Amino acid sequence: MDPQVAVVVVSYNTRDLLLECLASAVESTKGRSAQLVVVDNSSEDGSYQAVREAYPHATAIRNSTNLGFGAACNQGFKATDAPFILLLNSDARLTAQAFRALCDCLEQNERCGAAGCKLIDAAGAEVINTRNFLTPLNQAFELAGIEVGWRSLQRTRRLSPGRDLADCSVDWIDGACLMLRRAALDEAGCFDERFFMYSEDEDLCFRLRKRGWLVCFCGAGTAVHHGAASSGLDKIDMLRHFYLSQMLFLLKHHGPFSASLFAVAMRIVLGLKRLLMRDGSRREAACEHLRALREASLSKKQR
């Protein structure tokens, strides 16, 4: 029987968490025709070998270099013909409840192109994973703590779930646990591989929404996401990728002025935080973000 759902996991130096992730996926998809696809982005911790030994039935792809998250996901898409594809971060744990909720969402709404569920961290605290599309100012406003009623100036999405705990009016949902409809990908395209990491999920959801597909939040299911397991390996470098991707998103969809205005607005807010923050750790975090933003802006100009 051809698989109805493919679980695609991209791995980079997260061996132990990856094995936990795969175990949760196997357990959660019991009773469904599912396929496991693992794409290893040149890990150096034995991740690929561990997957081959523990899950010989899985489709495992090993890259000689780190191609980035989006490019690796695209490899996973091509390795399966399943009509539904669940992207699952290697530092996330799936639950049967979440898997059922995501499948139900796509099966019951033929215009749902992407669906995500509620996320909690390892301590059980809810993780924000629904947001409005990035604009030149909404992230700076939120970082500054400015409350504005207009949706265009809010970055975090305030959910409006119905009786079924679903909200299909969100702009985009974090790709840590995101189920995609292949027919929607065929129409809108896969991940833009210019996004090495960060914002590739936002860009995909933007293109899906532009073509009339819905992006749905399914509150009936909950998955666990540790967060930053791979990206935490080199903080400044990862922050630089974060800001590069955000500026690329704005440049791609709104033009160079929007990307430049974003960089200026963020510099102002981060600069003020660096000067005014009394808490040493928060002041240091602002300094790190400011440094990464400057490096990203310089890198963008040199391209």
Side-chain angles (χ1 to χ4, degrees):
M1 180 184 296
D2 291 335
Q4 294 302 301
V5 182
V7 180
V8 175
V9 182
V10 173
S11 170
Y12 179 66
N13 290 329
T14 57
R15 180 184 179 277
D16 293 341
L17 287 173
L18 170 64
L19 293 176
E20 290 181 17
C21 169
L22 297 179
S24 74
V26 170
E27 180 65 27
S28 299
T29 57
K30 283 182 177 178
R32 294 291 295 249
S33 176
Q35 177 185 6
L36 198 58
V37 180
V38 181
V39 184
D40 184 78
N41 256 337
S42 191
S43 295
E44 299 174 348
D45 63 352
S47 292
Y48 178 79
Q49 293 86 346
V51 171
R52 296 300 296 156
E53 292 172 6
Y55 300 96
H57 64 283
T59 300
I61 301 169
R62 186 180 191 181
N63 292 323
S64 58
T65 58
N66 187 347
L67 301 181
F69 181 75
C73 285
N74 288 347
Q75 289 179 295
F77 297 158
K78 294 174 184 177
T80 175
D81 294 322
F84 295 166
I85 301 169
L86 175 61
L87 296 182
L88 190 63
N89 273 22
S90 62
D91 60 351
R93 291 201 306 272
L94 186 63
T95 64
Q97 175 200 46
F99 182 71
R100 284 195 302 270
L102 294 172
C103 288
D104 288 347
C105 191
L106 267 69
E107 289 171 346
Q108 295 170 10
N109 189 338
E110 63 179 15
R111 291 308 298 170
C112 177
C117 63
K118 181 179 176 182
L119 291 182
I120 59 174
D121 63 20
E126 188 168 353
V127 177
I128 295 173
N129 65 332
T130 56
R131 294 176 177 83
N132 295 318
F133 290 128
L134 182 68
T135 71
L137 296 176
N138 61 1
Q139 186 160 296
F141 270 61
E142 185 162 299
L143 183 62
I146 299 173
E147 292 285 342
V148 181
W150 299 314
R151 178 181 166 182
S152 61
L153 291 177
Q154 296 173 348
R155 182 62 166 150
T156 300
R157 169 71 181 187
R158 296 176 181 175
L159 294 168
S160 301
R163 290 184 178 180
D164 58 356
L165 302 180
D167 183 347
C168 289
S169 67
V170 302
D171 279 353
W172 69 283
I173 299 178
D174 193 300
C177 182
L178 185 68
M179 187 169 284
L180 300 166
R181 186 186 300 273
R182 180 174 293 280
L185 289 177
D186 289 343
E187 186 177 328
C190 296
F191 283 123
D192 184 338
E193 296 183 8
R194 290 178 295 172
F195 295 89
F196 183 79
M197 63 187 309
Y198 302 117
S199 299
E200 68 286 308
D201 42 8
E202 182 172 9
D203 171 71
L204 176 59
C205 288
F206 187 93
R207 288 182 281 118
L208 288 170
R209 289 284 306 271
K210 195 172 182 180
R211 289 181 174 270
W213 293 96
L214 298 174
V215 177
C216 299
F217 172 81
C218 307
T222 302
V224 180
H225 184 215
H226 292 276
S230 292
S231 60
L233 299 176
D234 188 335
K235 190 172 183 179
I236 292 297
D237 191 44
M238 295 305 106
L239 285 173
R240 182 174 60 81
H241 279 297
F242 174 71
Y243 286 116
L244 266 174
S245 292
Q246 290 191 312
M247 286 187 282
L248 174 58
F249 175 85
L250 290 171
L251 183 65
K252 177 179 178 179
H253 297 295
H254 301 293
F257 177 75
S258 292
S260 298
L261 180 57
F262 165 81
V264 170
M266 289 297 294
R267 257 191 232 112
I268 290 172
V269 173
L270 288 168
L272 289 173
K273 281 184 169 291
R274 182 184 63 179
L275 292 173
L276 301 177
M277 280 286 183
R278 294 184 178 181
D279 183 281
S281 61
R282 292 186 178 181
R283 188 167 58 247
E284 178 61 27
C287 289
E288 291 173 343
H289 277 261
L290 193 56
R291 175 187 163 189
L293 177 59
R294 286 170 175 165
E295 290 181 4
S297 299
L298 181 60
S299 177
K300 182 175 73 74
K301 289 179 182 178
Q302 293 173 344
R303 290 185 174 185

